[in-house]
Amino acid sequence: MARTQVGIVGAGPAGLVLAHLLAEHGIQSVVLEKYSRAYIEKRVRAGLLEHRTVELLRSHGLGERMLREGLAHRGTDLRFGGARHRIPYTDLYGGREMLVYAQQELVADLVRLRLAAGGDIVFEAEEVALHGLDSESPRITYRAAGEARELECDFVAGCDGFHGVSRPSVPAGVLTTYEQRLPFGWVGILAAVPPSTHEIIYALHARGFAGHMLRTSEISRFYLQCDADDVIENWPDDRIWEELRTRLATNDGWTLKEGPIIEKNITEMRSFVIEPMRYGRLYIAGDAAHIVPPTGAKGMNLAISDARVLAAALADWYQSGDDSGLEAYSETCLRRVWRVQEFSNWMSWMIHCLPDDLPDVAYRRRLQLAQLEYVARSAAAGASFAENYVGIEDV
Ligand code: RFL
Protein backbone atom coordinates (compact mmCIF):
# COMPACT_ATOMS: atom_id res chain seq x y z
CA MET A 1 0.00 0.00 0.00
CA ALA A 2 1.29 3.48 -0.91
CA ARG A 3 1.55 6.13 1.77
CA THR A 4 1.44 9.92 1.83
CA GLN A 5 0.85 12.56 4.47
CA VAL A 6 -2.22 14.26 2.97
CA GLY A 7 -4.46 12.53 0.44
CA ILE A 8 -6.26 15.20 -1.58
CA VAL A 9 -9.40 14.24 -3.50
CA GLY A 10 -10.01 16.57 -6.45
CA ALA A 11 -7.73 18.71 -8.65
CA GLY A 12 -9.85 21.86 -8.69
CA PRO A 13 -8.67 25.21 -7.33
CA ALA A 14 -9.02 24.05 -3.69
CA GLY A 15 -7.12 20.76 -4.07
CA LEU A 16 -4.35 22.13 -6.25
CA VAL A 17 -3.70 25.25 -4.16
CA LEU A 18 -3.64 23.06 -1.05
CA ALA A 19 -1.08 20.70 -2.62
CA HIS A 20 1.16 23.67 -3.49
CA LEU A 21 0.95 25.30 -0.06
CA LEU A 22 1.61 21.99 1.72
CA ALA A 23 4.67 21.35 -0.45
CA GLU A 24 6.11 24.70 0.64
CA HIS A 25 6.02 23.38 4.21
CA GLY A 26 7.65 20.12 3.13
CA ILE A 27 4.38 18.19 3.54
CA GLN A 28 3.79 15.43 0.97
CA SER A 29 0.47 14.96 -0.76
CA VAL A 30 -1.09 12.94 -3.54
CA VAL A 31 -3.94 14.51 -5.54
CA LEU A 32 -6.53 12.09 -6.95
CA GLU A 33 -8.58 13.54 -9.83
CA LYS A 34 -11.50 11.79 -11.49
CA TYR A 35 -11.05 13.34 -14.94
CA SER A 36 -8.17 13.66 -17.40
CA ARG A 37 -5.73 16.55 -17.35
CA ALA A 38 -6.99 17.73 -20.76
CA TYR A 39 -10.58 17.77 -19.51
CA ILE A 40 -10.02 19.81 -16.35
CA GLU A 41 -7.83 22.28 -18.23
CA LYS A 42 -10.71 23.05 -20.62
CA ARG A 43 -13.66 23.11 -18.20
CA VAL A 44 -15.15 26.63 -18.35
CA ARG A 45 -16.29 28.06 -15.03
CA ALA A 46 -15.26 31.04 -12.96
CA GLY A 47 -13.25 34.00 -14.05
CA LEU A 48 -13.10 36.70 -11.40
CA LEU A 49 -10.38 36.63 -8.76
CA GLU A 50 -10.57 38.64 -5.57
CA HIS A 51 -7.63 40.79 -4.61
CA ARG A 52 -6.61 38.49 -1.76
CA THR A 53 -6.75 35.42 -4.04
CA VAL A 54 -4.44 37.15 -6.51
CA GLU A 55 -2.08 38.13 -3.69
CA LEU A 56 -2.00 34.59 -2.32
CA LEU A 57 -1.19 33.09 -5.72
CA ARG A 58 1.37 35.78 -6.50
CA SER A 59 3.15 35.53 -3.15
CA HIS A 60 3.53 31.76 -3.51
CA GLY A 61 4.94 31.95 -7.03
CA LEU A 62 1.77 30.57 -8.64
CA GLY A 63 0.60 33.67 -10.46
CA GLU A 64 3.21 34.50 -13.08
CA ARG A 65 1.01 33.80 -16.17
CA MET A 66 -2.11 35.03 -14.37
CA LEU A 67 -0.49 38.43 -13.75
CA ARG A 68 0.79 38.60 -17.33
CA GLU A 69 -2.46 37.61 -19.07
CA GLY A 70 -5.19 38.52 -16.55
CA LEU A 71 -7.19 41.74 -16.95
CA ALA A 72 -7.18 44.06 -13.94
CA HIS A 73 -10.58 45.45 -12.92
CA ARG A 74 -11.41 48.54 -10.92
CA GLY A 75 -15.15 49.04 -11.20
CA THR A 76 -18.48 47.58 -12.18
CA ASP A 77 -21.27 48.88 -14.40
CA LEU A 78 -24.65 48.55 -12.68
CA ARG A 79 -27.61 49.09 -15.03
CA PHE A 80 -31.24 49.60 -14.18
CA GLY A 81 -34.02 51.78 -15.57
CA GLY A 82 -31.98 52.15 -18.77
CA ALA A 83 -29.23 54.11 -16.97
CA ARG A 84 -25.67 53.11 -16.10
CA HIS A 85 -24.11 53.60 -12.69
CA ARG A 86 -20.42 52.93 -12.21
CA ILE A 87 -19.34 51.55 -8.85
CA PRO A 88 -15.62 52.31 -8.61
CA TYR A 89 -14.88 49.48 -6.20
CA THR A 90 -11.12 49.87 -6.27
CA ASP A 91 -11.38 53.52 -5.17
CA LEU A 92 -13.97 52.54 -2.57
CA TYR A 93 -11.84 49.75 -1.09
CA GLY A 94 -8.30 50.93 -0.53
CA GLY A 95 -7.02 50.62 -4.09
CA ARG A 96 -7.56 46.87 -4.30
CA GLU A 97 -8.18 45.55 -7.82
CA MET A 98 -9.79 42.36 -9.08
CA LEU A 99 -8.44 40.22 -11.86
CA VAL A 100 -10.28 38.48 -14.69
CA TYR A 101 -8.50 35.19 -15.39
CA ALA A 102 -10.37 32.05 -16.42
CA GLN A 103 -10.55 29.24 -13.88
CA GLN A 104 -9.44 26.61 -16.39
CA GLU A 105 -6.29 28.64 -17.11
CA LEU A 106 -5.54 28.85 -13.41
CA VAL A 107 -6.11 25.10 -13.04
CA ALA A 108 -3.74 24.50 -16.00
CA ASP A 109 -1.07 26.69 -14.33
CA LEU A 110 -1.43 24.95 -10.98
CA VAL A 111 -1.19 21.49 -12.58
CA ARG A 112 1.85 22.42 -14.68
CA LEU A 113 3.70 23.99 -11.74
CA ARG A 114 2.85 21.09 -9.42
CA LEU A 115 4.07 18.45 -11.86
CA ALA A 116 7.21 20.48 -12.63
CA ALA A 117 7.99 20.51 -8.90
CA GLY A 118 7.70 16.70 -8.78
CA GLY A 119 4.21 16.71 -7.28
CA ASP A 120 2.00 13.65 -7.52
CA ILE A 121 -1.35 14.08 -9.31
CA VAL A 122 -3.21 10.96 -10.42
CA PHE A 123 -5.63 11.78 -13.26
CA GLU A 124 -8.55 9.55 -14.18
CA ALA A 125 -8.67 8.09 -10.67
CA GLU A 126 -11.92 6.11 -10.66
CA GLU A 127 -14.07 4.69 -7.88
CA VAL A 128 -12.40 6.81 -5.20
CA ALA A 129 -13.62 5.68 -1.76
CA LEU A 130 -12.62 6.90 1.72
CA HIS A 131 -12.11 4.56 4.68
CA GLY A 132 -11.25 4.88 8.37
CA LEU A 133 -11.87 8.61 8.49
CA ASP A 134 -12.32 8.50 12.26
CA SER A 135 -8.98 6.69 12.73
CA GLU A 136 -5.42 8.11 12.74
CA SER A 137 -4.57 6.54 9.40
CA PRO A 138 -7.41 6.97 6.94
CA ARG A 139 -7.16 5.20 3.57
CA ILE A 140 -8.29 6.02 0.07
CA THR A 141 -9.01 3.25 -2.41
CA TYR A 142 -9.34 3.92 -6.14
CA ARG A 143 -8.68 2.52 -9.60
CA ALA A 144 -6.17 4.03 -12.00
CA ALA A 145 -4.49 2.72 -15.15
CA GLY A 146 -6.70 -0.37 -14.89
CA GLU A 147 -5.54 -1.44 -11.41
CA ALA A 148 -6.93 -1.22 -7.88
CA ARG A 149 -4.80 0.99 -5.62
CA GLU A 150 -4.77 2.02 -1.98
CA LEU A 151 -3.29 5.11 -0.35
CA GLU A 152 -2.75 5.44 3.38
CA CYS A 153 -2.59 8.99 4.77
CA ASP A 154 -2.49 11.03 7.96
CA PHE A 155 -5.29 13.27 6.68
CA VAL A 156 -7.75 13.37 3.80
CA ALA A 157 -8.67 16.69 2.19
CA GLY A 158 -12.06 16.47 0.47
CA CYS A 159 -11.69 19.00 -2.37
CA ASP A 160 -13.86 17.14 -4.88
CA GLY A 161 -16.56 19.71 -5.54
CA PHE A 162 -20.29 19.56 -4.99
CA HIS A 163 -20.79 16.15 -6.65
CA GLY A 164 -17.74 14.45 -5.13
CA VAL A 165 -17.46 11.49 -2.75
CA SER A 166 -16.01 13.21 0.32
CA ARG A 167 -19.13 14.78 1.77
CA PRO A 168 -21.27 11.66 1.24
CA SER A 169 -18.56 9.62 3.06
CA VAL A 170 -19.43 11.31 6.35
CA PRO A 171 -21.84 9.15 8.39
CA ALA A 172 -25.45 10.27 8.50
CA GLY A 173 -26.32 12.63 11.32
CA VAL A 174 -22.87 14.24 11.65
CA LEU A 175 -23.35 17.17 9.29
CA THR A 176 -25.98 19.86 9.36
CA THR A 177 -26.98 21.07 5.90
CA TYR A 178 -28.30 24.54 5.09
CA GLU A 179 -29.64 25.18 1.63
CA GLN A 180 -31.74 27.44 -0.54
CA ARG A 181 -32.68 27.22 -4.19
CA LEU A 182 -33.29 30.61 -5.76
CA PRO A 183 -36.34 30.87 -8.05
CA PHE A 184 -34.29 31.66 -11.17
CA GLY A 185 -31.40 30.24 -13.19
CA TRP A 186 -28.76 31.57 -15.59
CA VAL A 187 -28.25 30.84 -19.26
CA GLY A 188 -24.48 31.22 -19.57
CA ILE A 189 -22.79 31.66 -22.93
CA LEU A 190 -19.28 32.04 -24.19
CA ALA A 191 -19.06 33.95 -27.47
CA ALA A 192 -16.18 34.52 -29.88
CA VAL A 193 -16.56 38.28 -29.82
CA PRO A 194 -14.52 41.10 -28.26
CA PRO A 195 -16.07 42.56 -25.10
CA SER A 196 -18.52 45.45 -25.49
CA THR A 197 -17.39 46.89 -22.16
CA HIS A 198 -14.26 47.48 -20.11
CA GLU A 199 -15.99 46.59 -16.88
CA ILE A 200 -18.37 43.84 -15.84
CA ILE A 201 -22.02 44.74 -16.40
CA TYR A 202 -24.85 43.68 -14.10
CA ALA A 203 -28.21 44.75 -15.53
CA LEU A 204 -31.71 44.48 -14.15
CA HIS A 205 -34.43 44.76 -16.80
CA ALA A 206 -38.15 44.01 -16.64
CA ARG A 207 -37.42 40.87 -18.73
CA GLY A 208 -34.80 39.68 -16.25
CA PHE A 209 -31.15 39.99 -15.30
CA ALA A 210 -28.41 40.16 -17.92
CA GLY A 211 -24.69 40.11 -17.25
CA HIS A 212 -21.69 40.79 -19.43
CA MET A 213 -18.52 39.37 -17.93
CA LEU A 214 -15.07 39.45 -19.45
CA ARG A 215 -12.65 36.75 -20.46
CA THR A 216 -10.13 37.83 -23.12
CA SER A 217 -9.89 40.41 -25.90
CA GLU A 218 -11.49 37.88 -28.31
CA ILE A 219 -13.89 35.93 -26.04
CA SER A 220 -16.75 37.28 -23.92
CA ARG A 221 -19.03 35.73 -21.33
CA PHE A 222 -22.72 36.62 -20.97
CA TYR A 223 -25.47 35.52 -18.63
CA LEU A 224 -29.27 35.81 -18.86
CA GLN A 225 -31.78 35.12 -16.13
CA CYS A 226 -34.09 32.24 -17.01
CA ASP A 227 -36.66 30.17 -15.11
CA ALA A 228 -35.23 27.88 -12.44
CA ASP A 229 -36.28 24.76 -14.36
CA ASP A 230 -35.60 26.05 -17.89
CA VAL A 231 -33.65 23.94 -20.42
CA ILE A 232 -31.03 25.13 -22.88
CA GLU A 233 -33.07 23.84 -25.85
CA ASN A 234 -35.40 26.80 -25.21
CA TRP A 235 -32.53 29.20 -25.94
CA PRO A 236 -31.55 29.26 -29.63
CA ASP A 237 -28.72 31.69 -30.40
CA ASP A 238 -31.04 34.31 -31.95
CA ARG A 239 -33.14 34.45 -28.81
CA ILE A 240 -30.02 34.85 -26.65
CA TRP A 241 -28.74 37.83 -28.64
CA GLU A 242 -32.19 39.40 -28.79
CA GLU A 243 -32.54 39.17 -25.00
CA LEU A 244 -29.01 40.45 -24.40
CA ARG A 245 -29.62 43.45 -26.68
CA THR A 246 -32.88 44.26 -24.90
CA ARG A 247 -31.79 43.70 -21.32
CA LEU A 248 -28.39 45.39 -21.56
CA ALA A 249 -29.68 48.42 -23.52
CA THR A 250 -29.07 51.88 -22.08
CA ASN A 251 -30.53 55.25 -22.99
CA ASP A 252 -27.09 56.63 -23.97
CA GLY A 253 -26.54 54.69 -27.18
CA TRP A 254 -24.34 51.85 -25.90
CA THR A 255 -24.19 48.95 -28.38
CA LEU A 256 -23.57 45.24 -28.02
CA LYS A 257 -21.03 43.44 -30.21
CA GLU A 258 -22.35 40.07 -31.38
CA GLY A 259 -20.59 36.97 -32.65
CA PRO A 260 -20.70 33.18 -32.77
CA ILE A 261 -21.73 31.42 -29.57
CA ILE A 262 -19.16 28.73 -28.79
CA GLU A 263 -20.65 27.30 -25.62
CA LYS A 264 -23.94 27.60 -23.75
CA ASN A 265 -25.51 25.98 -20.71
CA ILE A 266 -27.84 26.61 -17.79
CA THR A 267 -26.57 27.12 -14.27
CA GLU A 268 -28.88 26.72 -11.32
CA MET A 269 -28.78 29.28 -8.54
CA ARG A 270 -28.20 27.36 -5.37
CA SER A 271 -26.88 28.12 -1.90
CA PHE A 272 -25.58 25.29 0.24
CA VAL A 273 -23.45 24.94 3.39
CA ILE A 274 -22.50 22.00 5.60
CA GLU A 275 -21.41 22.33 9.20
CA PRO A 276 -18.90 21.34 10.39
CA MET A 277 -16.54 21.15 7.41
CA ARG A 278 -14.77 18.17 8.93
CA TYR A 279 -15.27 14.65 10.21
CA GLY A 280 -12.43 12.89 12.04
CA ARG A 281 -9.36 13.14 9.80
CA LEU A 282 -11.39 14.32 6.78
CA TYR A 283 -11.27 18.08 6.13
CA ILE A 284 -13.72 19.29 3.48
CA ALA A 285 -12.91 22.37 1.40
CA GLY A 286 -14.41 24.42 -1.43
CA ASP A 287 -17.56 23.47 -3.33
CA ALA A 288 -17.63 20.10 -1.53
CA ALA A 289 -18.63 22.03 1.60
CA HIS A 290 -20.47 25.07 0.26
CA ILE A 291 -22.02 26.54 -2.87
CA VAL A 292 -23.02 30.12 -3.58
CA PRO A 293 -25.04 31.35 -6.54
CA PRO A 294 -22.56 32.68 -9.14
CA THR A 295 -23.87 36.28 -8.89
CA GLY A 296 -21.10 37.54 -6.61
CA ALA A 297 -18.35 35.50 -8.38
CA LYS A 298 -17.22 34.02 -5.09
CA GLY A 299 -17.08 30.19 -5.28
CA MET A 300 -13.53 29.75 -6.51
CA ASN A 301 -12.24 32.48 -4.21
CA LEU A 302 -13.86 30.77 -1.26
CA ALA A 303 -12.42 27.39 -2.29
CA ILE A 304 -8.91 28.86 -2.38
CA SER A 305 -9.49 30.58 0.95
CA ASP A 306 -10.37 27.22 2.57
CA ALA A 307 -7.18 25.72 1.12
CA ARG A 308 -5.16 28.52 2.68
CA VAL A 309 -6.69 27.93 6.13
CA LEU A 310 -6.25 24.16 5.90
CA ALA A 311 -2.63 24.36 4.73
CA ALA A 312 -1.69 26.64 7.63
CA ALA A 313 -3.44 24.36 10.14
CA LEU A 314 -1.73 21.23 8.78
CA ALA A 315 1.64 23.00 8.75
CA ASP A 316 1.25 23.81 12.48
CA TRP A 317 0.33 20.20 13.21
CA TYR A 318 3.31 18.75 11.32
CA GLN A 319 5.79 21.33 12.60
CA SER A 320 4.92 21.41 16.28
CA GLY A 321 2.02 19.06 16.93
CA ASP A 322 -0.19 22.11 17.49
CA ASP A 323 -3.71 21.04 16.57
CA SER A 324 -5.46 24.31 17.39
CA GLY A 325 -5.64 25.34 13.72
CA LEU A 326 -7.14 21.99 12.74
CA GLU A 327 -9.63 22.17 15.61
CA ALA A 328 -10.64 25.67 14.51
CA TYR A 329 -10.58 24.89 10.75
CA SER A 330 -14.31 24.59 10.28
CA GLU A 331 -15.20 27.58 12.41
CA THR A 332 -12.55 29.77 10.75
CA CYS A 333 -13.72 28.88 7.24
CA LEU A 334 -17.40 29.15 8.09
CA ARG A 335 -17.10 32.77 9.20
CA ARG A 336 -16.06 33.74 5.66
CA VAL A 337 -18.46 31.23 4.08
CA TRP A 338 -21.45 32.82 5.79
CA ARG A 339 -20.28 36.37 5.00
CA VAL A 340 -20.08 35.34 1.35
CA GLN A 341 -23.43 33.52 1.54
CA GLU A 342 -25.08 36.66 2.82
CA PHE A 343 -23.45 38.87 0.17
CA SER A 344 -24.20 36.49 -2.72
CA ASN A 345 -27.79 36.09 -1.56
CA TRP A 346 -28.25 39.86 -1.13
CA MET A 347 -26.80 40.58 -4.55
CA SER A 348 -28.85 37.82 -6.21
CA TRP A 349 -32.15 39.20 -4.92
CA MET A 350 -31.13 42.75 -5.83
CA ILE A 351 -30.25 42.09 -9.46
CA HIS A 352 -32.83 39.52 -10.62
CA CYS A 353 -36.36 40.12 -11.81
CA LEU A 354 -38.57 38.73 -9.05
CA PRO A 355 -41.01 35.99 -10.10
CA ASP A 356 -44.67 37.04 -10.33
CA ASP A 357 -45.82 34.39 -7.84
CA LEU A 358 -43.60 35.67 -5.00
CA PRO A 359 -45.67 36.95 -2.04
CA ASP A 360 -45.88 40.77 -1.93
CA VAL A 361 -44.02 40.92 -5.23
CA ALA A 362 -45.13 44.45 -6.16
CA TYR A 363 -43.85 45.80 -2.84
CA ARG A 364 -40.60 43.82 -3.10
CA ARG A 365 -39.93 45.17 -6.59
CA ARG A 366 -40.14 48.71 -5.25
CA LEU A 367 -37.76 47.81 -2.41
CA GLN A 368 -35.37 46.33 -4.94
CA LEU A 369 -35.24 49.62 -6.85
CA ALA A 370 -34.66 51.54 -3.61
CA GLN A 371 -31.77 49.19 -2.86
CA LEU A 372 -30.24 49.61 -6.33
CA GLU A 373 -30.54 53.38 -6.09
CA TYR A 374 -28.83 53.33 -2.70
CA VAL A 375 -25.90 51.18 -3.88
CA ALA A 376 -25.54 53.31 -7.00
CA ARG A 377 -25.70 56.71 -5.29
CA SER A 378 -24.42 56.36 -1.73
CA ALA A 379 -20.67 56.20 -1.12
CA ALA A 380 -21.29 54.27 2.12
CA ALA A 381 -23.44 51.64 0.40
CA GLY A 382 -20.99 51.51 -2.51
CA ALA A 383 -18.13 50.95 -0.08
CA SER A 384 -19.94 48.06 1.56
CA PHE A 385 -20.58 46.51 -1.85
CA ALA A 386 -16.92 47.06 -2.77
CA GLU A 387 -15.58 45.44 0.39
CA ASN A 388 -17.61 42.31 -0.21
CA TYR A 389 -17.19 42.15 -3.98
CA VAL A 390 -13.45 42.74 -4.08
CA GLY A 391 -13.12 40.32 -1.16
CA ILE A 392 -13.31 41.28 2.47
CA GLU A 393 -9.86 40.96 4.07
CA ASP A 394 -10.79 39.82 7.55
CA VAL A 395 -14.03 38.24 8.60
P1 RFL B 1 -14.12 22.05 -8.31
O1 RFL B 1 -13.55 23.12 -9.18
O2 RFL B 1 -15.45 21.50 -8.64
O3 RFL B 1 -13.05 20.88 -8.31
C1 RFL B 1 -13.34 19.61 -7.79
C2 RFL B 1 -12.50 18.60 -8.51
O4 RFL B 1 -12.78 17.30 -7.98
C3 RFL B 1 -12.96 16.38 -9.04
N1 RFL B 1 -13.79 15.28 -8.55
C4 RFL B 1 -13.31 14.09 -8.16
N2 RFL B 1 -12.06 13.62 -8.12
C5 RFL B 1 -11.88 12.33 -7.68
N3 RFL B 1 -12.91 11.53 -7.32
C6 RFL B 1 -14.18 11.98 -7.33
N4 RFL B 1 -15.20 11.18 -6.99
C7 RFL B 1 -14.42 13.30 -7.78
N5 RFL B 1 -15.53 14.06 -7.94
C8 RFL B 1 -15.14 15.24 -8.40
C9 RFL B 1 -13.60 17.21 -10.13
O5 RFL B 1 -13.41 16.63 -11.42
C10 RFL B 1 -12.85 18.54 -10.00
O6 RFL B 1 -11.67 18.58 -10.78
O7 RFL B 1 -14.18 22.50 -6.77
P2 RFL B 1 -13.27 23.54 -5.93
O8 RFL B 1 -11.82 23.25 -6.06
O9 RFL B 1 -13.90 23.57 -4.61
O10 RFL B 1 -13.50 24.95 -6.67
C11 RFL B 1 -14.76 25.57 -6.66
C12 RFL B 1 -14.96 26.38 -7.95
O11 RFL B 1 -14.75 25.54 -9.06
C13 RFL B 1 -16.36 27.00 -8.04
O12 RFL B 1 -16.76 27.48 -6.78
C14 RFL B 1 -16.42 28.17 -9.05
O13 RFL B 1 -16.32 27.69 -10.37
C15 RFL B 1 -17.70 28.97 -8.88
N6 RFL B 1 -17.82 30.08 -9.83
C16 RFL B 1 -17.12 31.25 -9.66
N7 RFL B 1 -16.26 31.39 -8.62
C17 RFL B 1 -15.51 32.54 -8.48
O14 RFL B 1 -14.76 32.63 -7.49
N8 RFL B 1 -15.56 33.55 -9.40
C18 RFL B 1 -16.39 33.48 -10.49
O15 RFL B 1 -16.37 34.38 -11.33
C19 RFL B 1 -17.24 32.32 -10.63
N9 RFL B 1 -18.07 32.20 -11.69
C20 RFL B 1 -18.66 29.94 -10.95
C21 RFL B 1 -18.78 31.03 -11.86
C22 RFL B 1 -19.35 28.74 -11.18
C23 RFL B 1 -20.19 28.65 -12.28
N10 RFL B 1 -20.88 27.43 -12.46
C24 RFL B 1 -20.42 26.49 -13.43
C25 RFL B 1 -21.74 26.98 -11.41
C26 RFL B 1 -19.61 30.92 -12.95
C27 RFL B 1 -20.35 29.74 -13.15
C28 RFL B 1 -21.28 29.67 -14.34
Side-chain angles (χ1 to χ4, degrees):
M1 185 184 350
R3 210 195 129 66
T4 191
Q5 290 176 302
V6 182
I8 301 175
V9 188
L16 290 167
V17 168
L18 178 64
H20 276 284
L21 299 183
L22 291 177
E24 273 190 25
H25 291 283
I27 302 168
Q28 302 159 8
S29 68
V30 176
V31 180
L32 303 176
E33 167 56 46
K34 182 176 179 177
Y35 293 103
S36 68
R37 180 176 179 183
Y39 178 80
I40 65 167
E41 292 183 357
K42 290 273 173 298
R43 191 168 44 190
V44 174
R45 283 189 168 177
L48 196 56
L49 300 182
E50 291 178 352
H51 179 262
R52 68 195 290 276
T53 305
V54 172
E55 278 306 299
L56 176 86
L57 296 167
R58 188 192 56 74
S59 63
H60 291 275
L62 304 171
E64 190 260 331
R65 188 164 77 101
M66 168 191 83
L67 292 171
R68 195 158 24 91
E69 297 181 9
L71 306 170
H73 270 264
R74 305 175 61 83
T76 208
D77 179 347
L78 191 61
R79 298 183 175 185
F80 56 95
R84 314 199 223 182
H85 308 267
R86 179 170 191 262
I87 305 185
Y89 54 65
T90 297
D91 296 342
L92 290 164
Y93 194 38
R96 296 176 183 84
E97 294 179 340
M98 298 184 89
L99 200 69
V100 171
Y101 189 60
Q103 177 169 332
Q104 71 273 19
E105 302 297 339
L106 179 63
V107 164
D109 294 348
L110 294 170
V111 166
R112 178 173 37 78
L113 293 168
R114 197 68 214 107
L115 295 176
D120 199 347
I121 306 176
V122 180
F123 295 101
E124 299 179 74
E126 296 169 341
E127 298 170 32
V128 170
L130 312 183
H131 313 271
L133 294 172
D134 54 354
S135 74
E136 291 198 349
S137 47
R139 289 172 303 111
I140 309 178
T141 54
Y142 62 101
R143 291 188 69 79
E147 60 180 32
R149 297 187 190 170
E150 193 163 354
L151 182 66
E152 192 186 48
C153 335
D154 297 328
F155 298 96
V156 176
C159 304
D160 46 355
F162 187 69
H163 301 286
V165 292
S166 300
R167 193 181 63 249
S169 303
V170 177
V174 172
L175 304 177
T176 303
T177 300
Y178 300 88
E179 59 188 316
Q180 170 185 249
R181 179 127 192 252
L182 294 170
F184 24 77
W186 273 10
V187 176
I189 70 155
L190 213 52
V193 62
S196 306
T197 177
H198 298 298
E199 295 183 335
I200 289 173
I201 303 172
Y202 289 95
L204 175 63
H205 184 273
R207 299 183 59 85
F209 163 79
H212 181 352
M213 318 294 164
L214 294 113
R215 281 298 182 266
T216 67
S217 52
E218 290 99 41
I219 307 263
S220 301
R221 188 103 163 108
F222 297 92
Y223 294 110
L224 283 167
Q225 177 179 352
C226 60
D227 290 342
D229 49 8
D230 213 340
V231 290
I232 200 65
E233 289 69 31
N234 289 337
W235 290 87
D237 294 5
D238 287 354
R239 179 180 178 203
I240 290 175
W241 288 117
E242 171 69 34
E243 287 295 326
L244 285 170
R245 270 195 306 273
T246 306
R247 299 187 195 183
L248 291 171
T250 60
N251 44 25
D252 62 3
W254 177 88
T255 52
L256 175 69
K257 295 190 187 98
E258 298 175 31
I261 293 179
I262 47 183
E263 195 174 308
K264 60 179 165 183
N265 53 34
I266 288 192
T267 299
E268 62 175 22
M269 307 287 280
R270 174 203 288 276
S271 310
F272 177 89
V273 183
I274 54 159
E275 292 190 8
M277 290 168 54
R278 101 172 249 207
Y279 168 68
R281 290 271 178 127
L282 169 68
Y283 290 83
I284 305 177
D287 276 16
H290 41 73
I291 297 282
V292 278
T295 327
K298 291 289 161 205
M300 172 170 59
N301 292 294
L302 212 46
I304 292 175
S305 179
D306 291 349
R308 174 207 305 251
V309 176
L310 185 53
L314 287 167
D316 285 347
W317 190 87
Y318 278 106
Q319 273 151 23
S320 61
D322 176 0
D323 67 355
S324 58
L326 286 173
E327 286 302 316
Y329 168 75
S330 181
E331 202 185 316
T332 307
C333 293
L334 285 167
R335 273 199 299 277
R336 174 170 289 273
V337 167
W338 281 109
R339 171 90 303 282
V340 166
Q341 287 287 342
E342 192 279 329
F343 173 69
S344 301
N345 185 67
W346 170 84
M347 195 172 166
S348 297
W349 285 105
M350 180 174 76
I351 204 68
H352 287 88
C353 196
L354 305 181
D356 290 337
D357 57 359
L358 210 65
D360 311 319
V361 70
Y363 176 79
R364 291 178 65 157
R365 285 186 179 139
R366 300 296 294 162
L367 283 188
Q368 196 181 17
L369 275 182
Q371 202 176 31
L372 281 162
E373 297 268 351
Y374 185 48
V375 172
R377 298 195 206 290
S378 152
S384 169
F385 170 83
E387 178 180 54
N388 283 282
Y389 193 66
V390 179
I392 192 162
E393 288 295 324
D394 296 306
V395 180

